[in-house]
Every structure is written in C-alpha cells, then in structure tokens.
C-alpha cells in the first residue's frame, strides 16, 4: 500500500483526479450500459413473440365470446314456439292477420333481442313481403333486403357508407307445407368497435374482424410498413376472422437510448465538476507556489530548504516543503525580535496604566471651588449650623474620594459618599430638589469603581434642574440583574432633545479626551470600560420636559 501511495504522489493532482474520474465513473457506467443493452436484447428477442401471442389470445377469447352470445340469441329467436305459432297462424288464417298479432310477434322479438346491446336490427319476413321488425335506430328495410345473401352465414353489407355485420337464415315454419321465413339480425358496427377497443391489451396492438379474403369488416390494423407481428384466428362458425396486428421494433432501443443519455448527462456533469474542482485547486495553488518560490529565491531571511523532493509533482508536497523552509527562516527572525516584542508589550501595559490614572484624576474641580466660595459667604452671614453641616458633609465626601486608596470601593461606601455629596448640594440649592433612594441591601458588599455615581448626580442638579426653583426629584435605584448590577439615576428635569442626547452618547464613548463636552460622564464611562470591559458602561435616555434617566451597568465583583 505504501509503495502504491508513493507512486501516486509522483503524479500531479490533476492527473489523479482524471484517473479517479475514469475508474469510478466512466468505466462503471460504460459496463452498466453494455450489460443493460445485452440483457434488454436477450429479453426482448425471447419474449416479444410470447407477449404478442398472449395479447392475441386474450383478444380472441373476448371476440369469440361476443359472437357465441349473438349465436345463442339467434338460435333462441328461431326456435321460439310463440313466434313460430303466431307466424303460422298469421300466414294460414286471414282472421289472425291483425295488428294485434303483428304487435305481439314484434314485441316477442324485441324482448329477446333488446338485451344484447350489439344487435341493432332484427327482422322476420316472408317472400310475399310481410315482415316483423325490431330496430333501435331508423333503417331503410328495402335497401337491406335487396342486399341480403342466401344461406346460413355471417357476412357484411355496406349500408349508409359503412360495413354492417349480418346474420341470416331461412327458418321452416311448417314442416307439412314447407312454409319458410327469412330471419335477419344486423349488428351495430360502433358497438363491435367498442368491444374490439376494450379487448386491446397493448398500445402497440390493433384488432380487426375480416372476411375470408382479408377485407376488414370492423376494426383496424397496422399497415405493412409498421407491422411487426400478426396473429390471425377464425371466429367459430361465422366465416370471419380476428386479426391481431402489432407494431413497434423487434429490438426496442428506448431503454438503451435512455441509458446512453443518462451516461452522457453523468459524463458531462462529472466532467464539469472535475474541471471546476481542478481549476479551484490549480489556480490558488499555482499562485501561492509562485509567491512562495519568489520569497524562497529573493528574501535574504529565507534560504533554500535542503532535501526537497524535486521528483514529486504533488503540488501539496512542494507547498509543504517550501512552507517548512519559510517557517525555519522565520523562526530565526522571531528569535532575534523576541526581546523587542517583550519591551513593546511592557510599554503598552505602562501606557494603559497611565491612561487609567489620568482618567481617574480628571474630575472637574469647579465643584470644590464653588463649595469653598459658598462656605466663605455663609460664614460671612454667620449661619453657623448650615456651615457645620456643610463642613461635616464635605469631610465625609473627601474621606472617600481622596483618602480611599485604590480604584475600587464597596457599593455601600460609594452610596454613603454620594449621600454626603447630595447633602451638600441640598444646602446649596435650598428647596430646589429632593432625592429618593432604592438600593437593594444585597448588593452593598460588592465592589465598584469609586466616584461613578457623583458625576451623574451632579449633571442632574446642574443641567437637569437648571432654571427650576423647586420641585426637582432625583431617584437613585440599585439592583442585581443576573450577573450584573444596574444603577439608574432618574430626574424630572427639563430633559434633552434626541439629537442632543445622541451627541452626548457619542462624546461619552469617544476615546479622545478634551476639556468640557461632558467630561465627567465620559470619565465614568471610560473607567468602567477599562476596568470591566466593553459590555459595561453608561446609557442615557431623555425626553424634553419629562426628564433624563442614566443607566450604569457593572459586573458583580466581590
């Protein structure tokens, strides 16, 4: 097996595909066609005649059955005693030559013959012209009577431009006097044709009834040019024959042609697929080989690989050898640049740390300046109690924001810090707003980046309640949702237009920092993303004259 594989690997992929296509597709289908053609030839040649004989046998039985039934009807008619008695009385005694006797004879004839659908006309008549009739359709008796033949037999005559089958016989009415009457039965050709059509067992078969000379009486048959097989059988006691003719080809090529067409279809389709697969492999492989060989020849860092199998025409083998050579050379280059890469990684880490420190320190100091200014003026006015509250709250605020080391605090610490900040703001903005707290106690022990709520609340007071003297409400909620903690700071301030809100979102998510432009909100958003990742941060919703809601999402951190 290994030896065979080695031989194959010396052949190009395109030739392997072509050989596989011939062995797996063309050869099996060709063998299948040959076997199918031989089997079909032997089967058709041996069974064609037998099949035709069987079809003809079944057809002959049905036609003979029909004529036997007609003969039985005719026999019953001529041996009927009621008819014979009435006919004798009618011809021998004038007093019986009445319309009532005539009707009785004709009714008896009708009752016998009407049950046979093929019988179209029945007549009993004497030499003097007296006749008794049964007929389904209008018919000219004079034309028929003049063409009737003598004797007992089946024959046909031409009536109304078509052949009509007839059965006639002279029946003796009285043995002593030798009185005779002519019995005539005519068969509807349409009914006969219907029976013949129903007796056909194959689309390649036709049935006809002919006379002794071979002239068609009823039905049809194939012409000599189309005729393949013919079966002629007599119809008992009628002098007529059933002729079954069959058309087609002695050897039916339909199956072979179908197989050849299928083969050609498979051949063309498979060839197209093989061609497309071949091209899809060849084009990119040749392009890649050209690039690799160019690098192998010109790049100073890549030397030619020793021991390449130049006898093999396997494109994958060539690609593997050349690519292995490239990897060896590239590994040498990577060893030389490894230290440089480490230094670059350390530099990026340091830059990231500096960015975090810079973001944390960029808190707008105007709040501190305003606060100190208010303390100064209130001291001038000698309002010592409020000054005491402000100084106490200010101490609590700076205790968390300045004294706490590290970037993280507990949520409880962050909430207490914000409460101190809100207390200071309520003193500064008398009766302008109130706050409502709804913090889930179960989240207070988790950690958060410090100073993330204060800039948001500051925006509510400074921007949301701008121009309002009283009636402001700030609702601060905090809850756990799955693996995250969500804070919502909602105010009933003046709100913002959608385009203004969208601009703030874009500035808040921008990594380019500047002076102004919602720097507090952006500071909070960027710190959350740096520490926790992109899925977390701030989202803003606002409607004009209805207020603003800021959502802050962080992961659970113990």
């Amino acid at each position: 097996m290994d030896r065979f594989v080695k031989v194959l690997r010396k052949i190009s992929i395109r030739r392997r595909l072509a050989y596989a296509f011939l062995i797996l597709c063309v050869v099996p289908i060709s063998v299948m066609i040959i076997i199918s053609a031989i089997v079909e030839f032997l089967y058709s040649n041996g069974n064609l005649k037998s099949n035709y004989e069987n079809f003809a046998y079944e057809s002959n039985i049905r036609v003979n059955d029909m004529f036997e039934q007609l003969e039985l009807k005719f026999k019953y008619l001529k041996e009927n005693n009621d008819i014979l008695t009435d006919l004798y009385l009618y011809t021998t005694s004038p007093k019986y030559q009445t319309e009532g006797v005539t009707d009785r004879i004709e009714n008896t004839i009708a009752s016998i013959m009407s049950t046979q659908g093929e019988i179209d006309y029945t007549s009993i008549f004497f030499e003097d012209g007296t006749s008794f009739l049964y007929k389904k359709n209008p018919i000219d008796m004079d034309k028929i009577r003049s063409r009737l033949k003598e004797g007992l037999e089946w024959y046909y005559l031409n009536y109304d431009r078509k052949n009509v089958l007839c059965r006639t016989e002279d029946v003796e009415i009285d043995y002593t006097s030798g009185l005779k009457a002519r019995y005539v039965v005519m068969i509807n050709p349409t009914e006969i044709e219907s029976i013949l059509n129903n007796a056909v067992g194959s689309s390649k078969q036709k049935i006809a009834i002919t006379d002794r000379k071979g002239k068609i009486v009823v039905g049809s048959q194939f012409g000599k040019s189309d005729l393949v097989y013919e079966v002629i059988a007599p119809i008992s006691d009628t002098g007529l024959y059933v002729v079954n003719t069959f058309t087609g080809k002695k050897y039916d090529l339909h199956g072979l042609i179908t197989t050849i067409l299928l083969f050609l279809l498979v051949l063309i389709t498979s060839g197209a697929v093989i061609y497309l697969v071949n091209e899809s492999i060849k084009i990119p492989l040749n392009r890649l080989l050209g690039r690799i060989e160019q690098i192998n020849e010109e790049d100073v860092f890549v030397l030619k690989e020793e021991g390449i199998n130049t006898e093999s025409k396997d494109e994958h083998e060539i690609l593997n050898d050349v690519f292995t050579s490239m990897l060896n050379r590239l590994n040498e280059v990577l060893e030389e640049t490894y230290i440089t890469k480490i230094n670059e990684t350390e530099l990026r880490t340091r830059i990231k740390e500096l960015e975090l420190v810079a973001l944390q320190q960029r808190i707008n100091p105007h709040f501190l300046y305003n606060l100190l200014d208010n303390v100064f003026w209130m001291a001038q006015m000698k309002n010592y109690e409020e000054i005491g509250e402000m100084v106490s709250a200010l101490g609590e605020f700076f205790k968390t924001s300045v004294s706490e080391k590290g970037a993280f605090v507990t949520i409880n610490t962050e909430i207490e810090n914000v409460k101190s900040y809100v207390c200071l703001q309520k003193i500064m903005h008398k009766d302008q707003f109130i706050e409502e707290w709804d913090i889930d106690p179960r989240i207070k022990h988790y950690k958060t980046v410090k100073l993330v709520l204060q800039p948001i609340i500051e925006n509510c007071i400074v921007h949301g309640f701008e121009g309002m003297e009283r009636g402001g409400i700030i609702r601060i909620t905090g809850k756990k949702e799955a693996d995250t903690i969500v804070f919502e700071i909602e105010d009933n301030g003046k709100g913002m237009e959608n385009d203004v809100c969208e601009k703030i979102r874009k500035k808040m998510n921008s990594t380019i920092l500047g002076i102004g432009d919602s720097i507090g909100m952006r500071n909070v958003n960027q710190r959350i993303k740096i520490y926790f990742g992109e899925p977390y941060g701030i989202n803003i919703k606002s409607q004009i004259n209805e207020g603003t809601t800021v959502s802050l999402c962080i992961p659970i951190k113990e």
Side-chain angles (χ1 to χ4, degrees):
M1 180 62 70
D2 293 339
R3 184 176 181 181
F4 178 71
V5 172
K6 289 180 180 179
V7 173
L8 285 179
R9 292 176 72 93
K10 294 181 180 181
I11 304 173
S12 66
I13 293 177
R14 284 171 287 178
R15 287 192 177 182
R16 280 186 241 168
L17 288 173
Y19 295 156
F21 172 64
L22 290 173
I23 295 172
L24 299 177
C25 184
V26 177
V27 173
I29 293 179
S30 300
V31 172
M32 180 185 68
I33 290 176
I34 295 171
I35 295 175
S36 175
I38 293 173
V39 171
E40 186 174 358
F41 174 78
L42 294 175
Y43 176 82
S44 299
N45 194 43
N47 291 277
L48 186 62
K49 183 177 179 180
S50 176
N51 290 337
Y52 289 160
E53 292 285 353
N54 290 334
F55 286 138
Y57 175 76
E58 295 291 336
S59 302
N60 292 341
I61 289 176
R62 299 188 65 174
V63 174
N64 276 277
D65 285 344
M66 177 191 68
F67 278 93
E68 286 178 5
Q69 292 296 324
L70 292 173
E71 281 290 338
L72 287 174
K73 286 288 183 182
F74 193 86
K75 181 179 180 181
Y76 182 67
L77 177 67
K78 70 181 183 179
E79 293 179 357
N80 187 277
N81 289 325
D82 293 336
I83 294 177
L84 292 174
T85 300
D86 286 338
L87 288 175
Y88 174 77
L89 294 173
Y90 187 89
T91 56
T92 58
S93 177
K95 68 177 183 178
Y96 283 99
Q97 295 176 2
T98 63
E99 186 176 348
V101 176
T102 302
D103 291 340
R104 187 169 63 211
I105 294 173
E106 290 183 346
N107 288 336
T108 305
I109 296 172
S111 66
I112 296 172
M113 308 307 282
S114 61
T115 57
Q116 193 76 19
E118 298 85 3
I119 298 174
D120 202 31
Y121 167 82
T122 303
S123 174
I124 301 175
F125 61 90
F126 295 93
E127 293 181 357
D128 61 0
T130 303
S131 63
F132 304 92
L133 302 175
Y134 159 73
K135 57 182 177 181
K136 287 184 179 179
N137 301 306
I139 192 167
D140 189 344
M141 268 303 301
D142 293 334
K143 288 184 179 180
I144 292 178
R145 191 176 299 176
S146 62
R147 298 176 186 176
L148 292 176
K149 296 181 180 181
E150 299 293 334
L152 169 61
E153 65 176 332
W154 283 92
Y155 57 92
Y156 67 94
L157 55 85
N158 188 277
Y159 174 76
D160 199 15
R161 297 183 180 179
K162 57 185 177 182
N163 293 329
V164 179
L165 273 171
C166 293
R167 170 73 167 87
T168 63
E169 186 175 347
D170 292 331
V171 178
E172 193 170 38
I173 304 301
D174 179 38
Y175 297 104
T176 59
S177 63
L179 179 64
K180 292 183 179 182
R182 172 67 64 90
Y183 281 56
V184 180
V185 176
M186 294 180 61
I187 310 303
N188 189 336
T190 304
E191 294 292 335
I192 300 296
E193 286 185 2
S194 176
I195 292 173
L196 297 181
N197 291 334
N198 291 331
V200 170
S202 170
S203 60
K204 299 178 181 180
Q205 177 186 9
K206 286 186 178 182
I207 305 174
I209 296 176
T210 66
D211 60 10
R212 291 185 177 87
K213 297 179 180 180
K215 185 174 182 179
I216 296 176
V217 178
V218 184
S220 61
Q221 60 186 30
F222 291 106
K224 294 298 182 181
S225 59
D226 299 325
L227 187 62
V228 171
Y229 195 72
E230 185 178 54
V231 179
I232 302 174
I235 302 174
S236 60
D237 300 328
T238 62
L240 301 175
Y241 295 86
V242 180
V243 179
N244 288 270
T245 55
F246 298 88
T247 188
K249 296 180 180 178
K250 293 184 179 180
Y251 175 61
D252 191 358
L253 295 176
H254 182 267
L256 179 61
I257 292 173
T258 302
T259 306
I260 293 174
L261 291 176
L262 179 63
F263 167 73
L264 293 176
L265 178 62
V266 173
L267 186 66
I268 294 171
T269 304
S270 302
V273 172
I274 292 296
Y275 175 77
L276 293 175
V277 172
N278 179 58
E279 290 298 309
S280 67
I281 294 174
K282 181 184 70 175
I283 293 174
L285 190 60
N286 288 343
R287 185 184 300 116
L288 184 59
L289 282 173
R291 293 176 60 190
I292 293 176
E293 289 172 355
Q294 184 179 4
I295 295 174
N296 198 41
E297 293 174 358
E298 298 179 0
D299 199 319
V300 296
F301 297 105
V302 181
L303 302 177
K304 289 186 177 181
E305 178 81 356
E306 295 182 1
I308 294 179
N309 185 9
T310 57
E311 294 181 358
S312 175
K313 294 183 180 180
D314 183 358
E315 291 85 352
H316 288 93
E317 182 68 24
I318 297 173
L319 176 62
N320 182 65
D321 290 338
V322 177
F323 190 69
T324 301
S325 177
M326 288 178 58
L327 287 180
N328 292 337
R329 304 288 78 79
L330 288 174
N331 284 334
E332 295 177 2
V333 175
L334 288 174
E335 289 177 1
E336 297 175 0
T337 58
Y338 179 74
I339 297 177
T340 303
K341 292 290 183 181
I342 294 177
N343 292 335
E344 289 179 356
T345 303
E346 292 178 350
L347 180 61
R348 291 192 185 97
T349 303
R350 182 58 180 165
I351 291 173
K352 199 73 171 180
E353 293 175 352
L354 293 175
E355 287 177 352
L356 294 176
V357 173
L359 285 172
Q360 186 135 357
Q361 297 300 324
R362 295 190 68 176
I363 304 289
N364 195 334
H366 73 277
F367 163 69
L368 181 59
Y369 300 148
N370 291 340
L371 181 62
L372 292 176
D373 187 60
N374 276 276
V375 172
F376 173 78
W377 286 106
M378 293 182 76
Q380 293 295 319
M381 297 173 63
K382 299 180 180 181
N383 191 351
Y384 300 110
E385 292 182 2
E386 290 184 347
I387 292 174
E389 291 181 14
M390 293 179 68
V391 171
S392 175
L394 181 62
E396 291 296 326
F397 179 75
F398 277 109
K399 179 181 178 181
T400 302
S401 61
V402 178
S403 300
E404 288 283 345
K405 295 182 180 181
F408 295 93
V409 294
T410 64
I411 290 177
N412 184 61
T413 301
E414 178 72 9
I415 296 298
E416 294 300 323
N417 180 53
V418 172
K419 287 182 176 179
S420 300
Y421 172 77
V422 172
C423 179
L424 290 171
Q425 289 289 4
K426 289 176 69 176
I427 296 173
M428 293 171 59
H429 302 83
K430 288 184 178 294
D431 301 324
Q432 186 184 28
F433 70 92
I434 60 173
E435 85 276 16
E436 297 177 356
W437 296 88
D438 183 14
I439 305 298
D440 188 346
R442 295 175 297 178
I443 69 171
K444 289 186 176 182
H445 68 283
Y446 295 122
K447 295 291 184 67
T448 179
V449 181
K450 68 180 180 179
L451 294 178
V452 292
L453 298 179
Q454 179 269 328
I456 301 173
I457 296 176
E458 181 182 2
N459 280 347
C460 294
I461 299 170
V462 175
H463 301 293
F465 299 146
E466 184 179 3
M468 294 176 58
E469 295 184 358
R470 62 182 66 249
I473 300 175
I474 301 176
R475 296 183 182 87
I476 303 101
T477 61
K479 57 186 176 180
K480 180 180 177 183
E481 293 184 0
D483 295 330
T484 61
I485 295 173
V486 178
F487 292 99
E488 285 190 356
I489 298 90
E490 180 183 359
D491 66 65
N492 63 344
K494 63 181 182 179
M496 296 177 284
E497 298 284 354
N498 288 334
D499 56 344
V500 177
C501 190
E502 183 63 27
K503 288 180 181 178
I504 293 176
R505 289 194 196 100
K506 290 182 179 180
K507 293 176 181 178
M508 186 176 61
N509 290 304
S510 174
T511 56
I512 303 175
L513 301 177
I515 299 174
D517 296 335
S518 303
I519 187 172
M521 297 280 285
R522 184 163 53 184
N523 180 288
V524 173
N525 191 52
Q526 291 297 317
R527 285 192 292 132
I528 290 174
K529 290 185 180 298
I530 289 173
Y531 283 112
F532 297 126
E534 283 298 323
Y536 306 100
I538 295 175
N539 186 35
I540 301 176
K541 296 180 181 178
S542 183
Q543 290 188 359
I544 193 71
N545 298 324
E546 292 188 11
T548 302
T549 301
V550 178
S551 300
L552 188 148
C553 180
I554 60 174
I556 291 177
K557 180 177 174 63
E558 295 287 348

